[in-house]
Amino acid sequence: MKQALMVVDIQNDYFPGGKMELVGIESAANNAQHALEMFRARNLPIFHIQHLSNRAGATFFLPGTDGVEIHECVTPQTGEVIIQKHFPNSFRETSLKEQLQGLHVEEVIICGAMTHMCIDTTVRAAFDLGFRCLVVSDACATKDMEYGGVAIEARKVHAAFMAALSSPFAQVLEMSGLESHLV
């Protein structure tokens, strides 16, 4: 089975000092960096997904700012594909599906940010397009949220979304289990 890694939106604005700092982003990015190393060592396809905000009122990932840049810990290397997107779904109005299919990829391994937004949306889209999906849970990050006056800690947001994705959309595992899963 052909596998590919998708590193979604690990960009400067999500890090300390950025315009949308996430809880646990540094640890998640470190794990994503390890996943990159595993894929590079096996010469497996890697796709870097970069969000560029183009909607009115956007406050982060603004084109032309340092915040939109892919973070240095996961800098793409020569030959690694960069897909730029404008929506939470990494497949919407991009060439991602066609590029994965062109490489005969059957399973996508997904990590990045934000768990509750682009990771969730991209995993569900990949599943609907017929890809097997694996999410590296500790290589993903999100933020504290609030709804209806209820504060929800990032770890609980993350856990809820991992639980929701774990069946039927994806296999969810931690970084420690990734290597044994790679072909």
Side-chain angles (χ1 to χ4, degrees), residues 88-161:
N89 176 352
S90 299
F91 293 92
R92 183 175 171 185
E93 298 180 21
T94 72
S95 64
L96 180 58
K97 174 187 169 192
E98 292 75 19
Q99 290 196 48
L100 289 167
Q101 288 175 334
L103 294 172
H104 306 288
V105 170
E106 298 171 52
E107 181 178 57
V108 289
I109 289 79
I110 299 171
C111 60
M114 291 188 283
T115 303
H116 73 279
M117 184 65 68
C118 297
I119 298 302
D120 179 65
T121 307
T122 295
V123 169
R124 290 170 188 262
F127 175 83
D128 285 347
L129 292 170
F131 295 100
R132 288 187 55 191
C133 301
L134 186 148
V135 179
V136 184
S137 65
D138 56 351
C140 296
T142 193
K143 64 180 188 150
D144 294 332
M145 298 183 74
E146 181 272 329
Y147 180 77
V150 177
I152 309 160
E153 296 174 40
R155 67 182 183 84
K156 291 181 179 180
V157 172
H158 182 76
F161 276 86

Side-chain angles (χ1 to χ4, degrees), residues 142-183:
T142 193
K143 64 180 188 150
D144 294 332
M145 298 183 74
E146 181 272 329
Y147 180 77
V150 177
I152 309 160
E153 296 174 40
R155 67 182 183 84
K156 291 181 179 180
V157 172
H158 182 76
F161 276 86
M162 291 297 108
L165 288 174
S166 69
S167 181
F169 303 105
Q171 178 181 358
V172 177
L173 55 75
E174 292 188 355
M175 190 64 207
S176 60
L178 180 60
E179 189 158 17
S180 65
H181 184 81
L182 297 181
V183 178

Side-chain angles (χ1 to χ4, degrees), residues 40-62:
R40 287 171 177 158
R42 289 168 174 79
N43 200 30
L44 293 170
I46 297 167
F47 291 81
H48 297 267
I49 313 298
Q50 180 185 30
H51 194 104
L52 285 82
S53 295
N54 66 354
R55 65 176 173 77
T59 59
F60 63 101
F61 292 165
L62 301 175

Side-chain angles (χ1 to χ4, degrees), residues 8-108:
V8 180
D9 300 351
I10 299 184
Q11 296 169 240
N12 291 337
D13 269 341
Y14 282 155
F15 286 79
K19 294 182 180 180
M20 180 59 75
E21 184 177 342
L22 301 183
V23 175
I25 187 63
E26 291 167 318
S27 175
N30 184 51
N31 285 330
Q33 181 182 45
H34 290 307
L36 272 171
E37 291 166 0
M38 286 183 201
F39 272 73
R40 287 171 177 158
R42 289 168 174 79
N43 200 30
L44 293 170
I46 297 167
F47 291 81
H48 297 267
I49 313 298
Q50 180 185 30
H51 194 104
L52 285 82
S53 295
N54 66 354
R55 65 176 173 77
T59 59
F60 63 101
F61 292 165
L62 301 175
T65 67
D66 182 59
V68 77
E69 298 302 321
I70 294 172
H71 193 268
E72 65 186 5
C73 70
V74 292
T75 299
Q77 292 184 354
T78 302
E80 295 174 357
V81 177
I82 301 171
I83 300 284
Q84 294 183 330
K85 66 179 180 69
H86 305 292
F87 300 98
N89 176 352
S90 299
F91 293 92
R92 183 175 171 185
E93 298 180 21
T94 72
S95 64
L96 180 58
K97 174 187 169 192
E98 292 75 19
Q99 290 196 48
L100 289 167
Q101 288 175 334
L103 294 172
H104 306 288
V105 170
E106 298 171 52
E107 181 178 57
V108 289

